[in-house]
Amino acid sequence: MLGVVRRKLGFGLLSATRVLPAGSVLPKKYSTAAKEITVREALNTALDEEMSADPKVFLMGEEVGEYQGAYKISKGLLEKYGPDRVLDTPITEAGFTGIGVGAAYYGLRPVVEFMTFNFSMQAIDHIINSAAKSNYMSAGQISVPIVFRGPNGAAAGVGAQHSQCYAAWYAHVPGLKVLSPYSSEDARGLLKAAIRDPDPVVFLENELLYGESFPVSAEVLDSSFCLPIGKAKIEREGKHVTVTAFSKMVGYALQAAEILSKEGISAEVINLRSIRPLDRATINASVRKTNRLVTVEEGFPQHGVGAEICMSVMEESFEYLDAPVERIAGADVPMPYAANLERMAVPQVDDIVRAAKRACYRSVSMAAAA
Amino acid sequence: MAVLARSSSPSSLSKLLLRPHSFSSLRSFSSSAADDQRVLTIETSVPFTGHRIDPPSRAVDTTPAEILSFFRDMAVMRRMEIAADSLYKAKLIRGFCHLYDGQEAVAVGMEAAITKRDGIITSYRDHCTFLGRGGTLLEAFAELMGRRDGCAKGKGGSMHFYRKEASYYGGHGIVGAQIPLGCGVAFAQKYSKDGSVTFALYGDGAANQGQLFEALNMAALLDLPAILVCENNHYGMGTAEWRAAKSPAYYKRGDYVPGLKVDGMDVLAVKQACIFAKEYALANGPIILEMDTYRYHGHSMSDPGSTYRTRDEISGVRQERDPIERVRKLILSHELASASELKDIEKEVRKEVDDAVAQAKECPMPDPSELFSNVYVKGFGAETFGPDRKEVRSVLP
């Protein structure tokens, strides 16, 4: 199953003969993680700590202050830091995003919250033209240390205008960094990294993950904790097929891996964490080990994150592929409201299992199953 | 089950006198008031305030028949929203649900002033406006529960009710977007010379959106028959108007565009203002109406509505300004019907709503093939895919 020819990865990260995947699976010795926190708490504490550490950091958005946050992510922050640093804005994304970017031009470190990323479309000119491109256009004079954060992707029954995933859109743009956490550890580490980062970061959360709890070590809870940008995490090691995912889909991929393991297929699940820069090294190293790939995302399929991952693997690891790359994505339709249609429009665990089996040539053909 | 089985309301009084309204067969109040077309002139309790325009008279012409229909129509809307609250708590309605109870006078008064060729477009707080446009309770509840017989076949949901045949352009989820869209419908109406106007409804939260001013500027340049109606319920989600707007005098925010401030809890005032605005817009171009109104529920079903306003304020409005109670008092003081007759109407309305809910619950879910329908009008045979493209794929006709 392993490819015979081993090519240098060419990233300067690993020598060609290493079998271990590049990236972040380093055997750390954590103390037993007794504590669990929700993603919501993780984000709240990360914001709190970064605001405490740096007076230039401030938060702005709709209902972030007195209402305690539409999803309670900014709970308690107004009380702690006051209205100069926690600003309730009117419902005017284009205006307040422009104001946030302007503040970042001066050197402040705004965190701009979009109640959902669907509303960021009202402000997208500022995200792209005013924030992403400024450092380049000004030859380094005007950097934009801003974070745009908020829930992204589908929730439950919120309809076509409130369910889109913007990962592919923002990750398309040079000058932006795009992160998407899955677990509480991701949420804390990546948000802290985003706030400390000197470049504009689009931080894509997920409403349905806010209430989920994950175990966290003492290291994660420490205020100095930070995760590197541009590095994926191998959530589950495996041998037979690589499954990439981000945000909520990581949970689905892990469930799929559990199901697959009972059928003798060992899936390696990669939590991308960073959509841009994409950790091509980790992905490719994994595919070179497993020789098979399933990409999973919630967003629309055409020109999606999976399409880019597939191309990267084809470019870097073509000879290692033993099967075509499989792609699981949202259905190619605006999100319907009806529960049965919505279920059909969003990837399910079964879809990932099926695609992984196909990649392993283990599926039953549809004709035989009929 | 037609609720507002009324022929389109003409704006001129003479037509009111000549053509009696037709009512649903469930109506059974005994007094002749239901068909009484004699003109009553009633003064609004609050005068209109004009910005760059002389306001209309406070004396509103109406008829007993019309007043009784106002009572009934608002009662239906009220009950529908309360039923929706229960359905949401029972998890039969999912996602977002923004209720309009308290604001009924705006939807009902507006319909009394216009025809179904005049356009209406609004935000996500759209259920009652849909009923006003001739939508049925069944279509509303079925849509809320994501069923096949919903007004958008279950694919839109609470925020996306439509009724194109009655010039109702929806139900929009993005705050403020409906305003340029409404001006666009008005543009098309003028372009087609069809003599109608469009009402673009938005809230005090949306009133600060830049796109409002961009669209209004163009509407004014082009003299479009666009009427911008700010349903000012004083809170944009959890933010009070004075915290979001430097100038919460929304009827003045059009600057060079005239405006009128209206007691939005008084259905007769709303009717008068809309008649006035339609006449103005057809002759001169855009005008802004600010309806001073109130929502009893929070912003949505996820918002208790009491963290940013006091319960005293809410109950105070219910006591002093409730639109249905005001019409009840009017009916009783003018002896158009007895208190028990009004109670009977409310009982009928309740039953109508309950029956519609029961019927909607029995409606089937949309067929799976609907996943791929209506993506395009004309798909040219393009392929489309489900999440696993090798398992579910289709062709767009």
Side-chain angles (χ1 to χ4, degrees), chain A residues 249 251-257 259-260 263 294 296 326 328 343 346-358 363, chain B residues 387-389 391-392:
Chain A
M249 292 292 124
Y252 282 30
L254 288 170
Q255 287 180 55
I259 293 170
L260 288 163
E263 307 198 28
V294 178
V296 184
E326 294 280 348
I328 297 296
R343 206 177 310 117
V346 174
Q348 303 298 331
V349 174
D350 286 349
D351 293 313
I352 304 173
V353 170
R354 197 183 315 110
K357 283 182 175 173
R358 276 201 307 263
S363 60
Chain B
D388 180 350
R389 56 183 46 221
E391 181 84 349
V392 178

Side-chain angles (χ1 to χ4, degrees), chain B residues 20 25 68 94 105 117 123 147 152 187-188 204 211 227 234 265 278 304 323 363 365 379 388:
Chain B
S25 57
L68 278 158
R94 307 156 63 235
R117 288 193 29 249
S123 69
R147 309 293 171 100
F187 175 89
D204 46 289
Q211 54 187 324
I227 298 155
H234 308 283
M265 306 296 260
K278 175 170 174 174
C363 269
M365 307 218 78
D388 180 350

Side-chain angles (χ1 to χ4, degrees), chain B residues 114-310:
Chain B
I114 63 177
T115 75
K116 294 297 187 286
R117 288 193 29 249
D118 293 313
I120 296 185
I121 192 170
T122 187
S123 69
Y124 42 76
R125 203 175 301 279
D126 59 349
H127 310 159
C128 298
T129 319
F130 169 73
L131 282 193
R133 290 269 84 185
T136 68
L137 286 168
L138 176 61
E139 286 172 324
F141 287 122
E143 188 60 36
L144 288 172
M145 294 195 270
R147 309 293 171 100
R148 192 178 301 199
D149 297 332
C151 54
K153 300 203 210 157
K155 292 163 73 161
S158 165
M159 298 184 279
H160 307 293
F161 280 23
Y162 299 88
R163 194 158 203 264
K164 177 81 188 299
E165 71 197 75
S167 313
Y168 182 46
Y169 290 88
H172 293 267
I174 306 301
V175 170
Q178 71 273 26
I179 300 162
L181 295 173
C183 293
V185 176
F187 175 89
Q189 288 168 325
K190 180 166 180 166
Y191 188 101
S192 313
K193 298 180 172 34
D194 79 359
S196 44
V197 300
T198 292
F199 290 78
L201 279 58
Y202 59 99
D204 46 289
N208 303 308
Q209 278 266 322
Q211 54 187 324
L212 186 161
F213 300 95
E214 294 184 21
L216 189 62
N217 178 49
M218 285 186 69
L221 280 170
L222 300 169
D223 295 323
L224 299 183
I227 298 155
L228 272 62
V229 181
C230 180
E231 293 185 279
N232 182 8
N233 58 24
H234 308 283
Y235 297 92
M237 192 162 157
T239 303
E241 59 186 322
W242 57 271
R243 293 182 63 225
K246 183 69 177 174
S247 164
Y250 301 107
Y251 71 109
K252 289 189 188 169
R253 293 278 292 274
D255 183 12
Y256 42 83
V257 168
L260 203 63
K261 184 162 175 171
V262 184
D263 178 2
M265 306 296 260
D266 178 345
V267 65
L268 289 170
V270 173
K271 173 189 161 180
Q272 185 86 317
C274 292
I275 292 173
F276 177 79
K278 175 170 174 174
E279 203 179 295
Y280 179 88
L282 280 171
N284 307 94
I287 182 170
I288 294 180
L289 297 179
E290 179 185 336
M291 303 288 182
D292 182 355
T293 184
Y294 200 83
R295 54 164 162 81
Y296 295 138
H297 269 86
H299 164 73
S300 73
M301 288 301 299
S302 342
D303 170 31
S306 52
T307 58
Y308 48 86
R309 35 180 212 176
T310 63

Side-chain angles (χ1 to χ4, degrees), chain A residues 8 22 40 87 102 140 190 225 237 241 245 313-314 334 352:
Chain A
K8 266 179 74 145
R40 178 179 284 114
L87 275 73
L190 293 176
F225 179 66
E237 279 189 48
V241 58
V313 162
M314 254 203 23
I352 304 173

Side-chain angles (χ1 to χ4, degrees), chain A residues 201-276:
Chain A
V201 181
V202 171
F203 193 83
L204 305 172
E205 301 160 7
N206 184 287
E207 193 219 308
L208 298 175
L209 285 177
Y210 284 152
E212 273 199 42
S213 289
F214 294 86
V216 283
S217 66
E219 184 184 345
V220 171
L221 291 172
D222 188 79
S223 64
S224 65
F225 179 66
C226 202
L227 284 173
I229 290 180
K231 288 280 175 282
K233 179 185 181 203
I234 305 215
E235 291 286 346
R236 179 182 174 131
E237 279 189 48
K239 301 199 302 254
H240 300 141
V241 58
T242 299
V243 181
T244 63
F246 61 95
S247 188
K248 186 159 192 309
M249 292 292 124
V250 176
Y252 282 30
L254 288 170
Q255 287 180 55
E258 201 42 51
I259 293 170
L260 288 163
S261 73
K262 301 199 166 61
E263 307 198 28
I265 296 177
S266 153
E268 177 149 293
V269 177
I270 300 182
N271 171 6
L272 294 177
R273 285 181 164 175
S274 184
I275 318 296
R276 188 179 183 107

